[in-house]
Amino acid sequence: MQFYGTEVPCPLLLGTAQYPSPQILKDAIKASGVDVITVSLRRETADGSGAGFWNTLHDLGCHILPNTAGCHSVQEAVTTAHMARELFGTDWIKLEVIGHADTLQPDVFGLVEAARILCSDGFKVFPYTTDDLIVGEKLLTAGCEILMPWGAPIGSGQGLRTPDALRSMRAHFPDVPLIVDAGIGRPSDACKAMELGMDAVLLNTAVAKAGDPVLMAQAMAQALTAGRSGYLADPMEPRDMAVPSTPILGMAELA
């Protein structure tokens, strides 16, 4: 799997917020084996603890994917992205332009506009979007090479609310990396996303708020591996009727 030409062996991308302690965060990242971790520039610098936090993340040796979490306008998202590039020294940016305060659903109109601006500025944009095919096409036209459709509202743990829509995205964009972003609650949700043909899953709350974040991080990574293998194995389609696994031919005839 490659994101903008960078090889990423692990299909799990992990957020870094809401963990009980920095040590548990580090242990969870190591247990999961992730190669990419996401960081919110706005949130983590708000309490003045930024420098130590950045050093902790840098020591882990993962790719840093800054995000524009909390941005509700194009200008806000673009400005935050430029600040993140200067701070982290990376052109990668997870682009969020929130349009609804309760569901945190993306403002797809602002998202496409911000993506166009950032792509023209040399950013490698990872857009947090809905599972709408037309929005996906417009993001690709704007310069994005990856799409990140939501599974459910951020932090809800509802799993995949519209699996058919995700399946349609896979069929419509066969050569585009697809990352399910947000809504995953359990390892079974992550496994299902990979069974649908997604390339990766990005999650945060499901691990950070688990009773044992380290064990949950490991479980999520294992679920993704199983789901991907299941997809590649070309599973059987569901049937309306029972089909015996043992043929009737050759059975004993009892008088």
Side-chain angles (χ1 to χ4, degrees):
M1 180 174 56
Q2 290 192 350
F3 298 151
Y4 290 102
T6 298
E7 185 175 347
V8 180
C10 180
L12 177 62
L13 288 72
L14 200 58
T16 55
Q18 305 181 52
Y19 285 81
S21 71
Q23 186 60 50
I24 291 177
L25 167 62
K26 291 172 64 176
D27 291 344
I29 290 173
K30 291 177 180 178
S32 67
V34 298
D35 301 294
V36 179
I37 52 179
T38 66
V39 183
S40 170
L41 174 71
R42 294 174 50 132
R43 181 183 62 247
E44 301 300 347
T45 58
D47 61 1
S49 62
F53 187 78
W54 307 147
N55 292 335
T56 297
L57 298 183
H58 183 269
D59 292 341
L60 293 169
C62 298
H63 295 286
I64 302 295
L65 176 59
N67 65 53
T68 62
C71 294
H72 290 259
S73 71
V74 173
Q75 182 177 0
E76 199 175 14
V78 170
T79 300
T80 300
H82 279 274
M83 293 171 62
R85 180 162 66 177
E86 182 176 347
L87 177 63
F88 292 108
T90 178
D91 291 329
W92 283 17
I93 191 72
K94 179 192 169 188
L95 179 61
E96 297 183 25
V97 182
I98 301 302
H100 193 274
D102 292 333
T103 64
L104 301 181
Q105 179 172 331
D107 171 2
V108 295
F109 304 101
L111 178 67
V112 171
E113 182 180 352
R116 178 184 55 77
I117 294 170
L118 291 175
C119 288
S120 66
D121 286 342
F123 283 89
K124 298 176 175 63
V125 178
F126 293 65
Y128 164 62
T129 182
T130 62
D131 48 28
D132 186 284
L133 298 180
I134 302 203
V135 174
E137 289 178 344
K138 291 186 179 299
L139 287 167
L140 296 176
T141 300
C144 299
E145 297 181 11
I146 289 172
L147 297 175
M148 302 179 68
W150 66 345
I154 294 173
S156 68
Q158 295 178 7
L160 306 181
R161 295 205 303 185
T162 55
D164 286 342
L166 294 174
R167 188 180 290 108
S168 294
M169 289 196 77
R170 178 72 290 164
H172 195 71
F173 303 114
D175 301 320
V176 177
L178 298 179
I179 305 172
V180 169
D181 179 14
I184 298 296
R186 289 173 168 76
S188 56
D189 300 329
C191 183
K192 181 63 175 177
M194 299 301 285
E195 287 179 345
L196 292 175
M198 301 297 105
D199 296 286
V201 168
L202 192 158
L203 56 88
N204 186 137
T205 309
V207 169
K209 291 300 185 180
D212 187 336
V214 178
L215 185 59
M216 183 59 78
Q218 186 179 39
M220 288 292 185
Q222 293 170 340
L224 290 175
T225 299
R228 182 62 178 172
S229 296
Y231 172 73
L232 294 176
D234 191 16
M236 63 175 285
E237 293 297 324
R239 297 165 174 169
D240 293 330
M241 299 290 291
V243 178
S245 57
T246 301
I248 297 177
L249 183 66
M251 292 183 64
E253 295 185 9
L254 303 178

